[in-house]
Amino acid sequence: MRFGVVTAWPAEDWHSRRLLASFGRRGEAAAVDPAALAAFVGEAALEVRASQRPAARFDAWVLARGLGRSGDPDVQFEVYRALEGTGSLVVNKIDALLSAQDKLRTSWLLRRAGVATPRAAVAQAPRQAVAALAWLGEAVAKPIAGSLGDGLERVRDDRAGRRAVLDRVGRDGAVYLQAWVEHPGRDARLFVVGERVAGAMERRAPPGEWRTNVERGARVRPLPAGGPLGALAVAAARALGLDWAGVDVVTGPEGPTVLEVNGNPSWVGILEATGEDMAEPIAEHVWARARQRLERTRPTPEQAGANHG
Ligand SMILES: Nc1ncnc2c1ncn2[C@@H]1O[C@H](COP(=O)(O)OP(=O)(O)O)[C@@H](O)[C@H]1O
Ligand SMILES: [Mg+2]
């Protein structure tokens, strides 16, 4: 089995290294720089190449760090779509990754799938931003495509809150607001692979901090992977179309609710909490999907003429 592991940082990036090692245990794992991908639209067909190798020679494409340090990100997105379009297995799917990156799209995809998630709003015009804050009352303002707890701000429907929201509209052109969920400074991060939770942890924020990101100094401990939280996390990953995902679940007064879904989740914290390297279940899952596809496309003995000779 051949795996193309897309990353511009095969040696420097801890996650890329782990994925290359786990896929390498199941076949050939080639690190492919996103900027080395090219597409050729010929008379009859489209061909994608990674350096000199036709992409069709690979059984699966793994978007470890799908965006390169060089090249054009829009071209890279389109090449991943073309790969999918020409029948290659690409995980995570590029459009699922882009959905997870976009907090507005995440909110509505979760809502549409019936997965518990707080009310949320985006607004571009100052009056609508103020109205959105009034509608939510108490909220967290977030960058539409942020991570690691960066740029998050708690806002209330008061003078300071309205000021903060208007500043964001002026600076960024839009503001995303998610209803505040009262929580005791801890939440759950569940790492979903395929249809199951491969690892889960509780994250406990340091005193005075409401953001539970590991990058903000949260302490971690293992959580059981099953139960209602697990089912919620699996449903959240499915709603976004992700093969693997990191799902943030906080338990508020109305029960567990999904704050966000990460399509390119780190598993440094999960490894610390559980001792489990998520590269293994990821590689196992992708390997199983690739094998299934090979079996589907392999000719049956009858088609191959085995019974007619
Ligand atoms: N609506 C909310 N109510 C309460 N806490 C929140 C809310 N949104 C985010 N947080 C806290 O901030 C952390 C980071 O928010 P999140 O949406 O996951 O953004 P990021 O992509 O930066 O991790 C969460 O893990 C949680 O602890
Ligand atoms: Mg998060």
Side-chain angles (χ1 to χ4, degrees):
M1 198 88 80
R2 282 204 194 102
F3 304 100
V5 178
V6 181
T7 174
W9 298 273
E12 305 93 314
D13 175 44
W14 182 89
H15 293 88
S16 298
R17 283 204 309 274
R18 300 230 162 210
L19 287 170
L20 282 161
S22 289
F23 280 97
R25 284 192 271 278
R26 289 163 180 82
E28 180 201 330
V32 175
D33 191 310
L37 293 164
F40 299 82
V41 184
E43 262 87 36
L46 178 136
E47 194 199 6
V48 175
R49 283 193 210 145
S51 299
Q52 300 311 317
R53 301 170 86 179
R57 289 228 192 106
F58 290 88
D59 299 294
W61 288 91
V62 183
L63 301 189
R65 287 282 177 265
L67 287 188
R69 55 174 142 203
S70 59
D72 178 329
D74 289 324
V75 166
Q76 287 158 15
F77 294 156
E78 208 45 44
V79 170
Y80 302 140
R81 286 193 191 102
L83 275 172
E84 289 169 25
T86 50
S88 290
L89 174 60
V90 183
V91 282
N92 274 314
K93 280 207 189 85
I94 185 62
D95 287 309
L97 281 171
L98 293 174
S99 296
Q101 227 174 59
D102 180 328
K103 288 197 155 82
L104 169 63
R105 202 180 324 167
T106 299
S107 285
W108 85 255
L109 287 177
L110 292 174
R111 180 70 78 239
R112 192 179 67 169
V115 177
T117 190
R119 287 186 301 148
V122 283
Q124 305 173 83
R127 286 177 80 156
Q128 280 172 319
V130 166
L133 181 59
W135 175 62
L136 292 168
E138 216 178 334
V140 179
K142 307 185 187 187
I144 291 182
S147 64
L148 314 179
D150 284 341
L152 265 60
E153 204 176 351
R154 265 188 83 174
V155 287
R156 281 169 217 279
D157 186 22
D158 57 16
R159 190 191 282 264
R162 284 190 290 274
R163 188 71 267 150
V165 161
L166 290 171
D167 283 350
R168 279 177 176 256
V169 167
R171 193 186 64 214
D172 306 332
V175 62
Y176 170 92
L177 296 168
Q178 186 180 58
W180 169 253
V181 182
E182 197 59 50
H183 64 85
R186 27 172 216 271
D187 72 356
R189 160 55 73 89
L190 297 104
F191 203 101
V192 176
V193 182
E195 293 287 299
R196 69 181 189 93
V197 175
M201 63 175 172
E202 183 186 78
R203 305 183 298 185
R204 204 180 279 259
E209 174 64 72
W210 53 272
R211 291 164 297 184
T212 54
N213 300 72
V214 171
E215 295 80 5
R216 301 263 154 201
R219 305 278 295 273
V220 298
R221 63 182 188 96
L223 271 186
L229 288 193
L232 187 65
V234 169
R238 193 187 301 142
L240 275 96
L242 290 162
D243 276 68
W244 71 88
V247 184
D248 294 345
V249 180
V250 71
T251 300
E254 280 152 44
T257 186
V258 176
L259 291 182
E260 74 148 353
V261 182
N262 297 270
N264 221 337
S266 165
W267 60 88
V268 173
I270 293 269
L271 177 68
E272 186 193 329
T274 67
E276 303 273 345
D277 177 5
M278 293 295 108
E280 276 297 303
I282 290 173
E284 193 59 30
H285 167 77
V286 175
W287 174 83
R289 277 200 64 188
R291 198 189 53 171
Q292 243 176 28
R293 286 163 71 104
L294 279 177
E295 276 166 7
R296 237 183 283 137
T297 51
R298 189 183 293 157
T300 62
E302 273 169 41
Q303 284 165 336
N307 294 337
H308 307 289

